[in-house]
Amino acid sequence: MSKVYIITGTSSGFGRALAEAVLDRGDRVVVTARKPEAVADLVEKYPETALAVRLDVTNASDRQAVVDAALEKFGHIDVLVNNAGRGSLGAAEEFTLEQLRDQMEVNFFGAVEMTRAALPAMRAQCSGRILNLTSIGGQIGYQAFAVYCASKFAFEGYSECLREELKPLGIHVTIVEPGAFRTDFAGDSNMRPVIEIEDYKPVIEPMRQYLYGNAGQQPGDPHRAALAMIQAVESDDPPLRLILGADAYGLLEQKRAAEQKELAAWREIGEDTAFDGAEVRPVGG
């Protein structure tokens, strides 16, 4: 039986590639975008299985309208893909508080609230899959990406906890962490800081050149990423984290090695902080 997907941010990038791959398989998809005309061609090509609905993930009415439309048209929701988001590049001090809040509203709060809107239907049917797209930047922080990584780190923490709460209910959560892919991440939607502080230029400029200078040359293929995501959805034992791209795996392995070295160096000092004779119990009991 075909699955019903809700995919946020399907006008381009991973969302678009996943929607195309899922529709090609014969599954049904609620394709969403801030401008529904951007996904009208998908509905034209798949009139029986694609439904276009306007969605600004920061708008509560839009979020509920997407869920309601999915249930009215297809009767249930099998998979929610929280893909909509935006990037940013600049020194942490260069961004205003308003910009930081805007980043969190889209990448964190919007996705969290979209999940909350879909969960009652999933809980009622005792099944469902949730794919939360973050980034390898959801585990590794880089200079120039403090604001972006903050939003992705937050979403990763939320997703880890959510997984433990939902698994007993038959609902599985997978965090998708891409490396460098040929999407519009470096495009016009990428948030730039309001000001530039000269002191940060030596550490920020190389990252700016990397991101904007390599646009369209990244090794990752969004369509292959979509196929990997579908495999996770179809798996009886889906991963907590689906890392996409050899570059992402390499970065994570480097971080893990550095962490282990630091843990060993500071463990004795860190552990020698308990009351004498106190019983150490695992967190959670």
Side-chain angles (χ1 to χ4, degrees):
M1 188 173 181
S2 65
K3 287 183 170 60
V4 176
Y5 280 69
I6 292 176
I7 305 175
T8 69
T10 52
S11 60
S12 63
F14 292 117
R16 177 75 178 210
L18 182 58
E20 291 173 344
V22 169
L23 289 165
D24 282 345
R25 286 166 49 88
D27 288 326
R28 294 165 287 175
V29 185
V30 179
V31 290
T32 70
R34 293 169 66 97
K35 298 179 179 180
E37 57 269 24
V39 293
D41 60 312
L42 292 175
V43 178
E44 183 177 352
K45 186 175 180 180
Y46 303 96
E48 300 300 320
T49 54
L51 174 66
V53 182
R54 181 189 183 278
L55 174 63
D56 174 349
V57 293
T58 67
N59 185 291
S61 297
D62 282 4
R63 294 190 299 262
Q64 191 59 51
V66 168
V67 171
D68 291 344
L71 294 174
E72 182 179 352
K73 174 76 172 179
F74 300 124
H76 60 283
I77 300 167
D78 297 301
V79 185
L80 169 65
V81 182
N82 285 307
N83 166 71
R86 68 181 304 195
S88 58
L89 187 149
E93 189 183 350
E94 295 175 333
F95 288 98
T96 65
L97 178 58
E98 182 181 9
Q99 287 183 302
L100 177 58
R101 291 185 186 279
D102 285 346
Q103 182 85 98
M104 294 297 292
E105 284 293 338
V106 175
N107 289 7
F108 179 69
F109 291 113
V112 167
E113 288 300 291
M114 189 68 235
T115 302
R116 282 162 52 87
L119 277 177
M122 289 186 172
R123 285 190 290 105
Q125 66 199 24
C126 300
S127 66
R129 301 296 173 100
I130 300 173
L131 296 186
N132 288 337
L133 273 81
T134 61
S135 163
I136 194 60
Q139 287 205 68
I140 303 171
Y142 317 86
Q143 72 271 24
F145 290 101
V147 174
Y148 175 74
C149 287
S151 68
K152 295 302 187 179
F153 268 64
F155 198 28
E156 294 237 353
Y158 172 84
S159 300
E160 281 196 25
C161 298
L162 190 68
R163 179 177 186 258
E164 298 304 311
E165 295 172 1
L166 295 181
K167 192 172 182 179
L169 306 180
I171 304 168
H172 297 276
V173 177
T174 291
I175 304 167
V176 182
E177 298 175 340
F181 278 75
R182 295 185 192 179
T183 68
D184 62 349
F185 181 79
D188 293 339
S189 65
N190 200 61
M191 188 167 64
R192 275 72 165 176
V194 170
I195 60 170
E196 291 188 8
I197 300 173
E198 189 67 23
D199 289 346
Y200 293 114
K201 190 172 182 179
V203 293
I204 300 301
E205 190 59 30
M207 297 301 285
R208 183 180 286 115
Q209 292 298 325
Y210 164 77
L211 182 66
Y212 300 129
N214 288 314
Q217 301 176 47
Q218 302 94 330
D221 180 348
H223 294 282
R224 291 190 176 186
L227 297 179
M229 285 185 255
I230 291 171
Q231 283 186 263
V233 167
E234 297 293 334
S235 174
D236 292 332
D237 185 23
L240 168 60
R241 285 185 166 86
L242 176 63
I243 300 170
L244 301 177
D247 56 342
Y249 276 96
L251 286 168
L252 189 58
E253 287 168 350
Q254 290 176 20
K255 179 180 180 179
R256 292 288 181 261
E259 284 178 336
Q260 289 302 316
K261 184 177 179 180
E262 188 174 87
L263 282 172
W266 286 87
R267 183 164 191 162
E268 184 176 352
I269 295 170
E271 287 188 341
D272 190 24
T273 52
F275 288 105
D276 292 338
E279 180 182 359
V280 179
R281 300 179 180 179
V283 175

